[in-house]
Amino acid sequence: MGNCCSDENGGHSGVGGNGAYAANQNNGHNEAFDALLKSRGYQGLYSHVELSLSATGLRDRDVLSKSDPMVVIYSKGRDGSLQELSRTEVVPNSLNPKWITKYTIAYHFETVQNLVFRVCDVDTQFHNQDVKMLKLEEQDFLGEASCTLSEIVTKSNGSLTLDIIRGEQSSGPTHAQKSGKLTICAEESVASKTTVELKLRCSELVSKDLFSKSDPFLVISKYTESGMMVPICKTEIIKDDHSPKWKPIIVNIQQVGSKDSPLTIECYDFNSNGKHDLIGKIQKSLSDLEVLHSTGSSTNLFTSAAVGQSSQNKVLKSQLFVDSFFEKTQHTFLDYLAWGYELNFMVAIDFTASNGNPRLHDSLHYIDPSGRPNDYQRAILDAGEVLQFYDRDRRYPAWGFGARPIDGPVSHCFNLNGSSDYCEVEGIQGIMTAYMSALFNVSLAGPTIFGPVVTSAADIANQSLMKRERKYFVLLIITDGVITDLQETMDALVHAADLPLSVLIVGVGGADFKEMEILDADKQRLESTHGRVAVRDIVQFVPFRDVQSGDSVLQALLAELPSQFLEYMRLKRIQPT
């Protein structure tokens, strides 16, 4: 998967980055710069996946010969609209074709990528035409199959076989006719796994501060096709040093494009107000950096000429050295999925009285008769829509907290399904049904306490670990309020950081979520009552009000999961075989 960051034993991330090795400690975080990275296209991990297609038992539409099939691949939008992505070649006279044409697609974990495959029989008179020029309405429709990309890549052999349907599936069995089977095989590109580990240092950096030395960090950016620079990597900050040596960083070659693709390496002086001063920069490719390392030479940083002045850049005394350049292949998120790993979804819902009476329109728990989901329902649906494909049995632990069940005391972790014996429900719809049922069977109370639900999730993760199951757990906590057990929750999270578990917190309503920012631990690693520091950051927080204009914020929240998953695997030295 594409991403890069400082190594796991390295210093804190220079600008609060995410990634499998980033340590994210103390004053390394800067929200302004993180927002800039996101606005310029910095995303979570992704892979390029090559799709191969074959079919069996196709319908024969020709009189004197067999069909001449071709597949058209579409992406399907949320509104049902189709966008054509690619076409295979035509395989003459075959009801069991194996198409040679492959289609490469960028797999993004955080989104549901719906695909539609339409098979058609191309008339003989069009066989000499380029398939891109064929008018599909002039060809015989043999049927179609649909799935999500997640359904393909989560198969242990990377292969999914679907029924080819001719007619409207929703119209009942008399209208939906099976017309053979389509098999889609997915293979992750080698470039997705190939990385370069770099160890960089500088000398004779100029000072940007009046009374102290600079606090330098590096940002590596690539150029998009439109010529825009997009950051792909950053180092940690080195305090008060004009000859800094940074910890190793890892650059994914796929993310760069190729070893010969031009890169810009910028050296900044960190400022806590977010206005980092540019010390200097260079423009080199990975191949150029490899030469610098092999020859033991260096290159001078420069600054761009000011507008209206000489067109020549100003060359500085400051130099960049490449102390190590190591190309290697890393196991990716998809490798672990192919090995049989699952992501198991869990949810915990805030039933404290601050949410308001569920029967009133201004309540955060109000169930709209029109079917429009409230923010709790939206968070469950949006997260569950993505995560459901990574959990084979689709049985989800679901809890409530901060309410008084019928004839009982206030509970800070009760089973959402009303059972006293088990906490699981069937599917995302099972969570929704249990949630709405609980609203009429509990009395909203308080205070807001997280510790017990985090502990319950950690217990399940620990039991799975003891059984040597290939499972990683994702707990979604949806809350409207300020928690009252901050230190107890921190203690539970420090313990959970050593387990296969991540925690996503979504804040609904207009409350002050300062405690959530502390739990997010981007500025400083969580520390327990006894002084134990969390081995990794497992919490991601987003206020749902930031998602109102679209799904991008929630997608960014989910995009962190593969990095956290890989960080755990590398921390525990778990490798797929």
Side-chain angles (χ1 to χ4, degrees):
M1 309 287 287
N3 207 349
C4 61
C5 33
S6 55
D7 81 334
E8 59 189 12
N9 295 318
H12 53 273
S13 169
V15 281
N18 51 26
Y21 298 129
N24 287 339
Q25 293 178 357
N26 300 328
N27 56 4
H29 179 75
N30 182 269
E31 294 177 354
F33 196 86
D34 282 351
L36 173 64
L37 293 185
K38 289 180 180 178
S39 71
R40 292 171 66 182
Y42 185 76
Q43 298 177 351
L45 301 181
Y46 70 95
S47 273
H48 282 145
V49 175
E50 186 180 76
L51 301 182
S52 303
L53 305 175
S54 62
T56 57
L58 294 180
R59 295 176 70 244
D60 192 355
R61 295 298 303 273
D62 295 340
V63 177
L64 301 177
S65 64
K66 297 176 182 178
S67 295
D68 307 315
M70 174 184 77
V71 179
V72 185
I73 306 172
Y74 301 88
S75 65
K76 186 175 183 179
R78 283 179 172 266
D79 60 356
S81 61
L82 297 180
Q83 177 184 357
E84 184 176 328
L85 301 176
S86 181
R87 300 181 183 188
T88 67
E89 79 280 11
V90 177
V91 178
N93 199 32
S94 178
L95 301 182
N96 301 292
K98 292 182 179 180
W99 290 278
I100 296 174
T101 303
K102 310 291 191 290
Y103 176 65
T104 299
I105 185 171
Y107 159 77
H108 293 274
F109 167 80
E110 68 274 14
T111 61
V112 178
Q113 296 168 271
N114 292 297
L115 300 175
V116 175
F117 304 86
R118 287 186 172 172
V119 187
C120 57
D121 176 18
V122 178
D123 195 282
T124 305
Q125 63 177 311
F126 301 115
H127 282 196
N128 292 327
Q129 285 191 22
D130 184 340
V131 293
K132 296 179 182 178
M133 304 302 294
L134 293 176
K135 295 181 179 179
L136 297 179
E137 64 271 17
E138 295 179 349
Q139 317 307 322
D140 290 326
F141 176 65
L142 298 181
E144 71 175 43
S146 59
C147 66
T148 67
L149 184 57
S150 300
E151 288 178 279
I152 306 172
V153 300
T154 51
K155 298 297 181 184
S156 59
N157 60 356
S159 178
L160 179 66
T161 298
L162 303 167
D163 287 325
I164 298 173
I165 303 298
R166 188 172 187 272
E168 295 293 331
Q169 299 186 55
S170 60
S171 300
T174 58
H175 295 277
Q177 304 171 4
K178 294 183 180 179
S179 303
K181 292 184 179 295
L182 179 73
T183 298
I184 308 114
C185 294
E187 184 176 6
E188 189 176 9
S189 69
V190 175
S192 296
K193 306 181 182 186
T194 306
T195 60
V196 171
E197 182 178 287
L198 294 167
K199 210 170 187 179
L200 304 174
R201 66 180 170 93
C202 281
S203 67
E204 299 185 68
L205 294 180
V206 297
S207 179
K208 292 291 183 177
D209 299 325
L210 289 176
F211 304 107
S212 64
K213 296 180 180 179
S214 295
D215 306 324
F217 66 90
L218 300 177
V219 176
I220 301 179
S221 302
K222 71 173 182 179
Y223 291 92
T224 64
E225 291 183 2
S226 63
M228 185 173 120
M229 272 207 318
V230 176
I232 59 169
C233 187
K234 51 194 183 293
T235 68
E236 79 277 17
I237 300 164
I238 304 293
K239 300 287 288 184
D240 296 322
D241 198 336
H242 286 168
S243 297
K245 295 181 180 180
W246 289 281
K247 297 293 183 180
I249 54 176
I250 295 175
V251 180
N252 183 280
I253 290 181
Q254 172 188 278
Q255 229 180 359
V256 171
S258 74
K259 288 180 67 174
D260 295 319
S261 299
L263 299 172
T264 294
I265 303 177
E266 298 168 302
C267 183
Y268 286 95
D269 175 25
F270 177 83
N271 288 314
S272 58
N273 63 5
K275 297 179 180 179
H276 311 301
D277 296 315
L278 178 65
I279 297 174
K281 60 184 177 180
I282 64 165
Q283 293 177 341
K284 298 288 183 183
S285 67
L286 286 175
S287 295
D288 295 332
L289 296 177
E290 186 174 20
V291 171
L292 288 178
H293 171 252
S294 62
T295 59
S297 54
S298 62
T299 185
N300 291 85
L301 303 184
F302 66 86
T303 56
S304 299
V307 177
Q309 296 184 8
S310 170
S311 60
Q312 292 187 343
N313 296 320
K314 179 181 179 182
V315 179
L316 307 175
K317 290 183 179 179
S318 308
Q319 292 182 310
L320 177 80
F321 297 82
V322 183
D323 285 345
S324 71
F325 186 101
F326 181 56
E327 193 170 329
K328 61 182 180 180
T329 300
Q330 284 193 326
H331 292 299
T332 66
F333 181 63
L334 292 183
D335 286 333
Y336 287 94
L337 294 183
W339 194 39
Y341 255 92
E342 299 180 58
L343 296 183
N344 292 137
F345 184 39
M346 302 184 275
V347 65
I349 298 174
D350 184 339
F351 283 87
T352 55
S354 55
N355 283 279
N357 186 338
R359 292 166 178 79
L360 302 179
H361 288 76
D362 59 353
S363 170
L364 293 171
H365 281 307
Y366 178 69
I367 304 299
D368 194 327
S370 70
R372 180 182 178 182
N374 62 35
D375 283 352
Y376 281 92
Q377 292 171 309
R378 281 189 62 197
I380 294 168
L381 290 171
D382 288 352
E385 181 184 40
V386 171
L387 295 172
Q388 63 180 332
F389 299 107
Y390 302 87
D391 191 334
R392 292 192 185 94
D393 66 7
R394 299 193 181 184
R395 295 183 60 85
Y396 309 126
W399 301 288
F401 60 91
R404 182 180 292 105
I406 296 175
D407 300 327
V410 173
S411 174
H412 301 294
C413 184
F414 58 89
N415 296 333
L416 204 61
N417 59 17
S419 170
S420 58
D421 301 321
Y422 62 94
C423 61
E424 292 184 332
V425 298
E426 293 275 358
I428 302 302
Q429 190 55 49
I431 299 176
M432 300 291 282
T433 300
Y435 162 63
M436 289 187 286
S437 176
L439 286 174
F440 297 98
N441 290 289
V442 301
S443 299
L444 274 57
T448 305
I449 293 177
F450 280 7
V453 293
V454 173
T455 299
S456 294
D459 287 344
I460 291 175
N462 188 54
Q463 291 169 19
S464 175
L465 188 62
M466 294 299 100
K467 296 176 183 176
R468 298 183 179 274
E469 295 176 328
R470 293 175 185 173
K471 293 184 177 182
Y472 189 90
F473 296 85
V474 182
L475 171 63
L476 172 67
I477 300 177
I478 316 170
T479 183
D480 85 311
V482 179
I483 63 172
T484 58
D485 67 332
L486 180 60
Q487 187 57 58
E488 290 81 358
T489 299
M490 291 171 64
D491 290 346
L493 290 170
V494 169
H495 168 70
D498 205 40
L499 297 170
L501 175 67
S502 287
V503 180
L504 308 179
I505 303 176
V506 173
V508 298
D512 185 347
F513 293 115
K514 287 182 180 178
E515 285 87 354
M516 306 306 160
E517 300 289 354
I518 295 173
L519 298 180
D520 201 331
D522 278 337
K523 296 182 180 179
Q524 185 171 351
R525 284 287 179 88
L526 296 180
E527 185 173 336
S528 73
T529 306
H530 303 293
R532 181 186 173 193
V533 178
V535 295
R536 62 192 182 100
D537 174 19
I538 66 169
V539 177
Q540 295 297 324
F541 166 72
V542 62
F544 210 72
R545 54 179 174 255
D546 291 350
V547 193
Q548 297 303 317
S549 60
D551 294 333
S552 59
V553 175
L554 194 57
Q555 286 178 0
L557 185 72
L558 293 169
E560 301 288 341
L561 279 176
S563 290
Q564 292 188 2
F565 174 94
L566 288 173
E567 183 180 11
Y568 175 80
M569 295 301 159
R570 290 163 185 166
L571 181 67
K572 298 298 182 180
R573 293 182 169 84
I574 300 172
Q575 296 191 356
T577 57

